Amino acid sequence: PTPPPGAAPAGVRGKKILQDRVRKHAELDRVWSFLVARHDGLERVEAKILREVQQRALQLLQGVQREMAQRVVAAAAARADDGWRGDGWRGNGNGAGAVGHR
């Protein structure tokens, strides 16, 4: 097949096609590198957020545990107070000893 009039010779066309492919490949390479860098950056951010969330959850859990321990101590002290009032350790109607005995 003969090229249309005004078309570049086959060798020149082939060289131009090759240069175009090399340029597109280089462009794709740059895009790929950019995406890999963004992915790595996002993974670092995700890991940092995860550490912060875990740390905050642990702090909240420790706070709840402290509050529960304080309530247990306070309830035990209140029951002991009730018992020493001469109620025979049954409590005064507000303590755990009074459950089902009203």
Side-chain angles (χ1 to χ4, degrees), residues 21-95:
R21 286 186 180 168
V22 167
R23 183 182 54 75
K24 285 182 179 175
H25 186 272
E27 192 175 319
L28 285 174
D29 225 19
R30 283 193 300 277
V31 169
W32 179 254
S33 296
F34 170 78
L35 290 175
V36 167
R38 291 286 293 175
H39 180 263
D40 291 347
L42 289 174
E43 277 189 336
R44 283 192 296 274
V45 169
E46 181 184 21
K48 181 180 177 188
I49 291 171
L50 185 58
R51 280 193 306 273
E52 289 174 2
V53 167
Q54 287 173 335
Q55 186 177 9
R56 183 68 180 131
L58 183 60
Q59 289 171 348
L60 288 172
L61 180 61
Q62 289 169 341
V64 168
Q65 287 173 333
R66 275 193 301 274
E67 186 176 333
M68 292 297 289
Q70 290 168 353
R71 287 183 182 189
V72 167
V73 169
R79 281 197 302 275
D81 269 356
D82 290 347
W84 285 111
R85 285 193 197 128
D87 293 336
W89 289 98
R90 287 188 315 262
N92 60 6
N94 296 324

